Amino acid sequence: MSKNVLVTGGAGYIGSHTCVELIEAGFNPIVIDNFSNSSSVSLERVEELTGKKVCFYEGDVRDRQFLDTVMQAEEIDSVIHFAGLKAVGESVEKPLEYYDNNISGSIILFNAMRDNGIKKVVFSSSATVYGDPHTLPIKEDFPLSATNPYGRSKLFIEDILRDIYYADNHWQVTLLRYFNPVGAHKSGRIGEDPNDIPNNLIPFIARVAVGQYEYLSVFGGDYDTPDGTGVRDYIHVVDLAKGHVKALQAFEKDDLDNLLTVNLGTGQGYSVLDMVKAFEQSSGNEIAYKIVERRAGDIATCYADPSYAKEVLGWQAERGLREMCDDTWRWQSQNPQGYAA
Ligand code: NAD
Ligand code: UD1
């Protein structure tokens, strides 16, 4: 069996960390990326960390000819599909761009896979597909819903993959629903490098800690949570990356279903203020904050039941809150301009 894994969006935040873990587990990532939200420096750093050359093609998942060229040049066994746009607010402003990139891109990719005889795929879904859950922790069989074009694109791609599998059960499909990825490789050489003002909590806190922003706006202090601020299941990106390796290894097990849907979270919820305190400890800097209005579309609490991941993939998160903040801080303080410097 070839160990070549096509990694779409492999230069991005989760993709670059996954490439490191894939190489360390003996897989050979073949990266495709159009660099719309990343830089080739991340791949150079992956090479530096692993001591291995990363096979890389610059191009777009919506370009069928490009995909055929890559698939015909490399003996691809499976695909991890990260490529897509991911900012919720932007998706409301630019729905067509999101549907084109995420949904059309996925359809073109899955067609190219089928026509080139590649039928194993791991897809990056999100806890956003659970909408506002009625009970907690969140299990994989909870009802699904979407409140914005980004979430709808994830839900739709999940549906497309389920239908592909129902039509041809030779496909092996694993839908990984990520909770809130944070942290960075412990070397401080790769990490999250948002192009713009960060939308997500931890990249924003990290920039307050290095002095790029004066204070954090805490979106809502009146939620029904222990301290009134939103609670989320933050998961270290290296744990998340290892979940992808386990998902590929699970394709080789005969006793598992060929369509798996798995939460990747820790099962532990932390509030915004818990994160502020933890980051203050890691950075040694005070994080100024102001409690402001709730952000539209936010929910009070979201955390996973991660027990199915342990059962089917033999995976569980190993890195705790302190490590998430220490590693984010190392990355942010050593690379205050991200990869641009
Ligand atoms: P990212 O933006 O860092 O990585 C995505 C990569 O895909 C980037 O390198 C980008 O340049 C590339 N890309 C985008 N459109 C492309 C296209 N049409 N063709 C080729 N390359 C393209 O994002 P990430 O945080 O690493 O997320 C990876 C995946 O995980 C995304 O699908 C995202 O929706 C999903 N996800 C992310 C989170 C999160 O909080 N980071 C949570 C849940 C799900
Ligand atoms: C967001 C997305 C979700 C996506 C996930 C991972 C929204 C509404 N949801 O989830 O679809 O899957 O990212 O990419 O954007 N917060 C602040 N101040 C800030 C930023 C965030 O108080 O400046 C709070 C939020 O209100 C929330 C928590 O921090 O309670 C985490 O926010 P964030 O990192 O944006 O993740 P989610 O909203 O959970």
Side-chain angles (χ1 to χ4, degrees):
M1 182 198 83
S2 154
K3 289 273 199 174
N4 289 359
V5 185
L6 185 72
V7 184
T8 75
Y13 172 45
I14 305 171
S16 56
H17 289 82
T18 301
C19 285
V20 171
E21 298 306 319
L22 286 171
I23 292 169
E24 285 178 358
F27 289 94
N28 183 30
I30 313 287
V31 170
I32 61 176
D33 205 300
N34 66 359
F35 296 129
S36 57
N37 196 37
S38 57
S39 139
S40 61
V41 179
S42 68
L43 296 174
E44 289 165 19
R45 302 255 179 112
V46 171
E47 292 181 342
E48 173 197 306
L49 291 173
T50 58
K52 293 259 165 63
K53 195 104 198 88
V54 176
C55 177
F56 158 68
Y57 294 84
E58 181 170 356
D60 198 294
V61 287
R62 290 164 294 180
D63 179 346
R64 174 60 197 261
Q65 249 184 341
F66 165 70
L67 293 180
D68 282 336
T69 306
V70 176
M71 288 176 179
Q72 283 154 22
E74 308 292 340
E75 202 189 323
I76 307 275
D77 178 61
S78 54
V79 175
I80 303 181
H81 182 32
F82 291 112
L85 303 179
K86 64 166 183 175
V88 172
E90 187 185 59
S91 80
V92 176
E93 309 291 318
K94 300 179 176 175
L96 277 174
E97 279 80 353
Y98 271 68
Y99 291 133
D100 181 45
N101 220 299
N102 295 3
I103 299 182
S104 305
S106 296
I107 293 172
I108 293 166
L109 174 70
F110 304 149
N111 260 310
M113 287 177 64
R114 182 194 54 192
D115 296 348
N116 287 281
I118 304 162
K119 294 189 172 181
K120 294 179 197 171
V121 60
V122 176
F123 173 60
S124 299
S125 188
S126 164
T128 193
V129 299
Y130 295 115
D132 193 354
H134 293 306
T135 57
L136 293 155
I138 298 171
K139 293 173 85 70
E140 287 83 353
D141 60 359
F142 275 24
L144 305 178
S145 67
T147 53
N148 56 68
Y150 168 73
R152 230 174 324 274
S153 77
K154 291 292 169 192
L155 210 48
F156 213 94
I157 300 162
E158 283 202 3
D159 277 329
I160 291 170
L161 282 168
R162 281 186 278 267
D163 287 338
I164 290 174
Y165 169 75
Y166 298 142
D168 174 1
N169 59 20
H170 291 103
W171 278 74
Q172 291 180 280
V173 174
T174 299
L175 309 173
L176 296 179
R177 293 182 181 149
Y178 314 154
F179 281 68
N180 288 58
V182 297
H185 191 266
K186 66 179 178 315
S187 63
R189 299 296 289 159
I190 55 174
E192 186 167 14
D193 181 22
N195 272 345
D196 230 329
I197 299 174
N199 300 300
N200 295 118
L201 178 66
I202 289 296
F204 201 97
I205 290 182
R207 292 191 181 190
V208 176
V210 287
Q212 279 180 26
Y213 299 119
E214 205 182 324
Y215 64 90
L216 167 75
S217 295
V218 176
F219 298 143
D222 58 351
Y223 283 107
D224 184 14
T225 59
D227 65 15
T229 66
V231 169
R232 296 291 183 273
D233 184 338
Y234 296 94
I235 173 167
H236 197 295
V237 66
V238 172
D239 280 329
L240 195 68
K242 286 179 185 289
H244 293 76
V245 173
K246 291 284 190 185
L248 289 184
Q249 289 166 339
F251 283 150
E252 306 315 315
K253 293 184 190 156
D254 294 332
D255 56 335
L256 287 178
D257 283 350
N258 280 348
L259 172 62
L260 292 178
T261 305
V262 183
N263 284 342
L264 294 183
T266 66
Q268 170 80 50
Y270 289 107
S271 74
V272 176
L273 296 183
D274 290 334
M275 301 309 283
V276 167
K277 279 186 216 119
F279 212 84
E280 285 183 333
Q281 283 178 355
S282 294
S283 66
N285 295 339
E286 195 194 335
I287 314 288
Y289 67 85
K290 287 184 191 168
I291 297 191
V292 301
E293 288 294 293
R294 292 182 179 191
R295 179 171 67 181
D298 273 358
I299 58 175
T301 308
C302 172
Y303 58 91
D305 178 339
S307 54
Y308 189 60
K310 190 166 183 192
E311 183 189 323
V312 289
L313 302 183
W315 173 93
Q316 64 183 345
E318 287 169 356
R319 289 156 183 78
L321 183 59
R322 186 61 201 257
E323 205 169 340
M324 297 179 205
C325 294
D326 283 356
D327 292 344
T328 304
W329 176 241
R330 195 175 301 107
W331 155 254
Q332 185 69 45
S333 52
Q334 290 177 11
N335 306 270
Q337 305 305 324
Y339 293 114

